[in-house]
Amino acid sequence: MSAMTLTLRATPSGRIDMSGVLPETLGGRTAGDIAAQIVRVDGNPVALGDLFAVTPGEAGAALRIDAGSSRLDCLGKGMTSGTLHVEGSAGHYAGQNLRGGELIIAGDAGDCAANGMRGGLLRIAGNAGNWLGAALIGDRAGMGGGVVAVAGDAGDRLGDRMRRGLILVRGKAGAACGARLLAGTLVVAGGCAGAPGPGLRRGSLILGRAPDIMPATYNDAGVADLSWLGLLRRHADAILPGVVSDSSRVHRHMGDLAFGGKGEILAPA
């Protein structure tokens, strides 16, 4: 099946809210109908065709956005099925409220990607910004399901208040990695800046490098051999190879003791 393609006509002058531009909503429609779809630029309504050259595709086919831009916000927002491929970078809130399907970003992603995500797969070939998979102001929790795979680095507050799901980061993360983690699994192969896991309640934060600082509110549980890491590695390797270590022996720290102590930070033994 031929994919629908949207090609940016020029570098955007403002921020474009791409909400509603999804393979499930545009599939099978004519070029004229797609071009008439309304998006917002800095809050003002603009026809999609004024910003993008439109090549229609078959119903059920993938949607491709050529010449992505860091000014394209809310890519894949609320998507439930299909594949959205962004050839280039994405703006803020990529994959927000993602429920299903696959969102592929060939470049970097801005802040707050995977906010409210509940299912599906988000792939970021470059770096991710701050607050990936995290709760925004006023949210009770962050990411609640699905899988995020980042081939590069991630910014600050990675997985803040994450409730469910799996985040894989091949590079390193910024400050406050795993802050207030409620549940789920967060894997950062390159380690993180500063002290990890402040306020962590449950779930697992797995670091490929020992942190420079371990918070005093974590209990050193020594070296453990955790067989479930082998299962996680096989699952992760099918998505982003090499993120989870081959060894099941890790140095385990239980905490945050100030918040019940039911979570864990795992680092190389």
Side-chain angles (χ1 to χ4, degrees), residues 86-261:
V86 182
E87 189 55 47
S89 295
H92 305 317
Y93 308 107
Q96 187 178 46
N97 297 322
L98 187 68
R99 293 296 190 271
E102 185 173 4
L103 172 58
I104 303 168
I105 299 171
D108 298 333
D111 295 340
C112 305
N115 164 251
M117 182 175 173
R118 294 294 182 270
L121 173 60
L122 168 58
R123 294 182 182 271
I124 301 172
N127 301 320
N130 300 324
W131 301 91
L132 172 65
L136 304 185
I137 294 173
D139 291 346
R140 296 183 62 184
M143 178 176 165
V147 179
V148 177
V150 181
D153 299 331
D156 298 340
R157 312 296 296 197
L158 172 63
D160 191 329
R161 292 189 66 81
M162 174 180 171
R163 184 175 291 278
R164 292 185 185 87
L166 172 64
I167 297 180
L168 305 170
V169 179
R170 178 175 286 152
K172 59 183 183 297
C177 175
R180 305 186 294 176
L181 186 69
L182 297 171
T185 302
L186 182 54
V187 183
V188 187
C192 62
L200 187 150
R201 294 176 182 273
R202 296 182 185 85
S204 299
L205 172 56
I206 304 171
L207 302 175
R209 295 183 180 179
D212 296 331
I213 305 170
M214 182 59 67
T217 50
Y218 278 78
N219 180 41
D220 189 339
V223 175
D225 194 336
L226 304 178
S227 59
W228 62 266
L229 288 174
L231 299 175
L232 175 63
R233 181 176 63 255
R234 286 192 288 274
H235 177 57
D237 279 351
I239 302 166
L240 190 65
V243 175
V244 179
S245 171
D246 291 338
S247 175
S248 61
R249 286 176 57 81
V250 290
H251 198 152
R252 193 180 195 189
H253 300 267
M254 304 300 297
D256 186 328
L257 299 177
F259 294 87

Side-chain angles (χ1 to χ4, degrees), residues 16-17 36-48 50-51:
I16 304 175
D17 183 345
Q37 173 94 13
I38 296 298
V39 294
R40 293 189 175 274
V41 180
D42 291 338
N44 301 308
V46 176
L48 192 64
D50 292 341
L51 304 170

Side-chain angles (χ1 to χ4, degrees), residues 43-106:
N44 301 308
V46 176
L48 192 64
D50 292 341
L51 304 170
F52 295 87
V54 179
T55 302
E58 300 175 35
L63 170 60
R64 181 182 179 91
I65 297 179
D66 279 339
S69 167
S70 60
R71 291 181 177 268
L72 299 181
D73 296 335
C74 299
L75 286 163
K77 180 178 180 179
M79 189 167 73
T80 62
S81 62
T83 301
L84 173 53
H85 189 116
V86 182
E87 189 55 47
S89 295
H92 305 317
Y93 308 107
Q96 187 178 46
N97 297 322
L98 187 68
R99 293 296 190 271
E102 185 173 4
L103 172 58
I104 303 168
I105 299 171

